[in-house]
Amino acid sequence: MEQLQVRRGRRIVLESVSFAHEHGVLALLGPNGAGKSSLLAVLATLRRPAGGEIAIAGHRIATGKDRRAVRGAIGFQAQDDRPPAELRCADYVRYAAWLAGVDRSALDHATARALSRVNLTEHGRTRIRHLSGGMLRRLTIAAAIAHRPRVLLLDEPTAGLDPHERLSLTGVIRALAGSATIVMSTHLSDDVRRAADSVAVFSAGRMTFSGSLDSFERLAPGDLDEAYRAAVDR
């Protein structure tokens, strides 16, 4: 990604964002309104950038053909994903796999595999309305990975969860990083500590820091909240 610019109407919401990420979990850290969700929407091809270049899984987001190729290579969990409450979990994931282009003959296997990856195998027949908040987030991640994407985009996956559910979900995210490159937005420093390999810090539409978790922690050893403040002030 080089010199990305994103506008909302006439307002610039992201300016001059450049970074590269190939392996593990990249945490986009910043408060609400910092531009993290706008960046993920661009990476998911849901919004076009106003300027700059982006390449995902070897494809530059420039033409319709490239965007279609990128969509086949990514999985996206939006912060406001709300699956139909009366559907059963397995039916929801199976439908997501079908939408993503999984062959009909492979849908059952893809569904079972995705539910297993997020520790929901025993809830395949559970109706979505009976899930806890953490289980619902894991289900929407299962839907996002059912077609085995190379890149997984997660928008505030732990927001609103209690500490136990957050710990469980960050463990799932770490496990998924073995088979997909993950970009995850968050405003919680604990998520960074538990899940991230790399960190990009955002504030007021600018990226103020990008580097490894170790280099981020060195900004204020022992206190990630102070490290964040130091990164913003750079």
Side-chain angles (χ1 to χ4, degrees):
M1 178 184 305
E2 297 180 3
Q3 297 299 309
L4 177 72
Q5 183 184 81
V6 179
R7 291 178 180 271
R8 184 175 298 150
R10 295 184 177 181
R11 185 170 67 91
I12 296 174
V13 294
L14 281 176
E15 179 70 56
S16 301
V17 176
S18 299
F19 65 81
H21 177 62
E22 296 183 2
H23 305 290
V25 179
L26 168 64
L28 310 179
L29 178 63
N32 293 334
K36 307 185 305 297
S37 293
S38 295
L39 174 57
L40 287 177
V42 170
L43 295 179
T45 74
L46 299 177
R47 175 181 295 175
R48 295 195 182 190
E53 294 188 356
I54 304 173
I56 299 177
H59 302 280
R60 291 189 178 276
I61 303 178
T63 68
K65 181 179 179 181
D66 289 330
R67 286 190 292 275
R68 287 191 294 273
V70 167
R71 287 167 186 158
I74 64 173
F76 179 46
Q77 180 206 42
Q79 185 178 355
D80 58 356
D81 278 348
R82 293 290 184 271
E86 293 306 314
L87 273 185
R88 299 185 190 277
C89 293
D91 293 336
Y92 174 65
V93 175
R94 193 175 194 276
Y95 180 62
W98 176 76
L99 285 177
V102 175
D103 189 86
R104 287 181 182 275
S105 64
L107 286 175
D108 288 344
H109 175 73
T111 299
R113 180 182 179 280
L115 288 172
S116 175
R117 294 296 306 276
V118 300
N119 302 321
L120 285 177
T121 296
E122 296 181 357
H123 294 278
R125 292 189 58 78
T126 300
R127 296 195 185 277
I128 292 171
R129 59 185 166 87
H130 294 306
L131 300 182
S132 68
M135 292 168 69
L136 181 60
R137 296 289 172 80
R138 283 187 278 141
L139 177 67
T140 55
I141 291 177
I145 65 171
H147 61 300
R148 304 184 73 169
R150 294 169 58 185
V151 178
L152 179 60
L153 308 174
L154 306 174
D155 192 3
E156 297 278 2
T158 68
L161 301 184
D162 66 39
H164 175 75
E165 289 182 322
R166 282 175 51 207
L167 181 61
S168 175
L169 187 55
T170 51
V172 166
I173 292 168
R174 280 304 318 166
L176 292 174
S179 57
T181 297
I182 297 176
V183 180
M184 173 188 77
S185 71
T186 183
H187 62 274
L188 301 169
S189 58
D190 281 350
D191 288 357
V192 174
R193 179 181 291 109
R194 292 168 179 164
D197 301 292
S198 304
V199 184
V201 174
F202 289 80
S203 177
R206 297 184 306 113
M207 187 176 72
T208 60
F209 173 88
S210 178
S212 68
L213 178 60
D214 286 343
S215 63
F216 177 65
E217 290 181 315
R218 285 197 294 271
L219 295 177
D223 190 333
L224 289 192
D225 289 333
E226 281 298 322
Y228 168 76
R229 284 187 279 272
V232 168
D233 292 337
R234 287 163 67 95

